């Protein structure tokens, strides 16, 4: 069973923000913003590549409720899901990072000169 399946099963403790039959949201152990929450389906899904529209549609309102729960819905936040090797995915159980609580930085995501992307 993968790490986040164990968290979803309460076999590994986490600081839970919100939970329902299908999803759970908990604090990231290594926060990158004042608010850094991970929202996951309880069902194991490897990554966004395997996510079905049915689960995604339910996740939409779940993540909106998470943002409301931690009072960042109006001040603003960012949702990120890293996919695969180039995306920097380290845990192979789909998770959406929900980041907020301060003005977030925005910058280049690759080491190469951005002009070389054109
Ligand atoms: P990824 O790099 O796969 O997009 O993100 C994985 C995230 O999971 C990282 O931000 C990391 O800090 C977080 N993480 C890894 N292990 C644990 C853990 O055991 N508990 C919690 N709450 N977060 C974890
Ligand atoms: Zn899993």
């Amino acid at each position: 069973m993968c790490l986040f399946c164990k968290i979803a099963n309460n076999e590994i403790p986490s600081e839970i923000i919100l939970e329902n039959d299908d999803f759970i949201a908990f604090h990231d152990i290594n926060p990158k913003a004042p608010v850094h929450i991970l929202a996951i389906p309880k069902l194991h899904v490897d990554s966004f590549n395997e996510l079905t529209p049915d689960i995604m549609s339910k996740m939409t309102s779940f993540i909106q409720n998470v943002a409301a729960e931690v009072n960042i819905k109006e001040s603003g936040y960012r949702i990120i899901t890293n996919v695969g090797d180039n995306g920097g995915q380290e845990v192979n159980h789909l998770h959406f990072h929900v980041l907020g609580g301060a003005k977030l930085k925005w910058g280049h995501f690759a080491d190469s000169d951005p002009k070389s992307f054109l």
Side-chain angles (χ1 to χ4, degrees), residues 25 49 55 58 64 110 113 116:
N49 279 341
I55 299 176
K58 292 178 189 148
Q64 290 163 352
D113 178 354
S116 71

Side-chain angles (χ1 to χ4, degrees), residues 3-4 26-30 38 82 88-91 95 97:
L3 176 67
F4 285 180
F26 52 92
H27 285 287
D28 194 294
I29 204 166
N30 182 22
L38 300 172
N82 296 324
Q89 184 176 4
E90 289 181 353
V91 177
H95 49 283
H97 298 259

Side-chain angles (χ1 to χ4, degrees), residues 31-50:
K32 292 183 169 55
V35 176
H36 187 172
I37 295 160
L38 300 172
I40 68 169
K42 289 184 175 178
L43 179 77
H44 181 91
V45 175
D46 280 342
S47 80
F48 189 80
N49 279 341
E50 289 76 26

Side-chain angles (χ1 to χ4, degrees), residues 10 15 21 29 32-33 37 39 45 51-52 56 67 71-72 83 86-87 103-104 111-112:
N10 288 317
E15 288 182 62
D21 285 348
I29 204 166
K32 292 183 169 55
I37 295 160
V45 175
L51 180 58
T52 63
M56 186 69 213
N71 289 314
I72 59 171
V83 184
N86 271 0
K103 193 97 176 166
L104 300 175
D111 289 336
S112 324

